[in-house]
Amino acid sequence: MEGLEEGVAEDAVVSQSPREFQSLWTMRDSCADYVRTRDHIIGGDVSVPLDRIEAFLSASQAAVRRIDPETEFLVFGHLGDGNLHYVIATPKAREAMETVYRMVAESGGSIAAEHGIGIDKKPWLRLSRSAAEIGTMRRLKAALDPKGILNRGRIFDGA
């Protein structure tokens, strides 16, 4: 409620019962269902340091609108820990998402917040991890999965 008192948030809901708690989670989970009904959707689960979220959102949305002025933004998630489900609707989805990922990295965030890298984010891993960090990731993968059979190709090609 501190955010309301400080004027940082315009509105907030805090559950007062198990039923209200479940209703809030149902509403949150339905966001993903809604997103799946849209055309030209691309999304990224990203994190940005809390003190940079406002500036990041403003700058990234302006940058994406330069690519496609008609872009719709459907940002949701759990902002309190810096995690954003940054979903956009645009026919120029890949170019727009690359811009968002680049700006996440410039903001000191991570393109792999809650859901990891996976196949979709492989091309952009270098934006939020240094060559040394990627090298360490590769060595850990090789040590823990010497036969390269676990989640083959999810993060590294051929492994």
Side-chain angles (χ1 to χ4, degrees):
M1 297 315 196
E2 198 175 294
L4 291 171
E5 293 169 3
E6 294 177 9
V8 175
E10 293 179 18
D11 195 6
V13 175
V14 178
S15 63
Q16 302 298 314
S17 70
R19 182 178 177 187
E20 286 181 8
F21 176 84
Q22 187 56 50
S23 293
L24 289 170
W25 271 107
T26 298
M27 187 183 319
R28 188 260 186 217
D29 289 343
S30 69
C31 291
D33 294 335
Y34 170 73
V35 165
R36 284 190 277 279
T37 69
R38 305 297 309 274
D39 292 328
H40 305 294
I41 287 288
I42 192 166
D45 181 47
V46 301
S47 65
V48 175
L50 289 175
D51 62 344
R52 298 180 187 159
I53 287 179
E54 184 177 2
F56 164 75
L57 286 172
S58 178
S60 64
Q61 290 177 5
V64 169
R65 282 201 171 98
R66 285 191 291 276
I67 296 166
D68 175 13
E70 303 300 315
T71 298
E72 283 186 73
F73 298 90
L74 308 159
V75 180
F76 61 98
H78 22 105
L79 304 178
D81 64 1
N83 190 299
L84 305 171
H85 298 285
Y86 199 111
V87 181
I88 51 182
T90 174
K92 298 180 179 180
R94 187 165 171 88
E95 182 182 356
M97 206 68 225
E98 181 163 358
T99 297
V100 170
Y101 288 151
R102 189 174 16 79
M103 295 183 82
V104 164
E106 290 168 2
S107 297
S110 173
I111 65 164
E114 180 181 17
H115 298 288
I117 294 291
I119 294 170
D120 293 340
K121 293 182 182 178
K122 278 181 7 179
W124 296 292
L125 177 60
R126 64 181 165 40
L127 293 176
S128 65
R129 293 293 172 259
S130 69
E133 289 170 319
I134 292 171
T136 299
M137 291 168 68
R138 285 182 182 280
R139 287 189 297 282
L140 284 169
K141 170 73 170 153
L144 297 172
D145 182 21
K147 294 183 181 178
I149 59 173
L150 302 174
N151 290 319
R152 183 182 298 276
R154 286 283 180 202
I155 299 176
F156 304 116
D157 292 332

